[in-house]
Amino acid sequence: FEVWRAESGGPPYHRDVAELSRRFKTSQPRMEKLMAALKDSGRFAERTSFAPTGIRTGATTEELRALFPK
């Protein structure tokens, strides 16, 4: 229930970090660090119940790409 409660205030969609890593052709960042960076930038970021490597955030693809390893 904790995940559902935390994600309930977020946007209506989620992003899969593993899929983004494949798309960006880079390694997957640690979920905790990625979510902390998103929150520090003022974005909503919570784990989602829809996917084990999913986060619920309103960040754009470009914003997310900037937070992945180069």
Side-chain angles (χ1 to χ4, degrees):
F1 290 116
E2 290 299 318
V3 172
W4 291 343
R5 187 174 302 128
E7 72 176 324
S8 67
Y13 45 87
H14 74 280
R15 308 297 295 267
D16 190 302
V17 176
E19 176 58 35
L20 289 172
S21 296
R22 287 188 290 279
R23 182 174 170 190
F24 299 152
K25 295 182 169 73
T26 187
S27 59
Q28 183 175 327
R30 295 181 58 101
M31 295 292 280
E32 297 80 16
K33 289 179 79 173
L34 178 61
M35 291 193 332
L38 286 166
K39 289 177 181 181
D40 287 347
S41 71
R43 288 294 194 171
F44 181 92
E46 290 293 340
R47 300 293 296 255
T48 183
S49 58
F50 295 111
T53 57
I55 58 171
R56 194 175 288 259
T57 184
T60 65
T61 301
E62 294 79 24
E63 290 171 318
L64 288 165
R65 176 63 184 108
L67 300 173
F68 278 65
K70 304 295 182 226

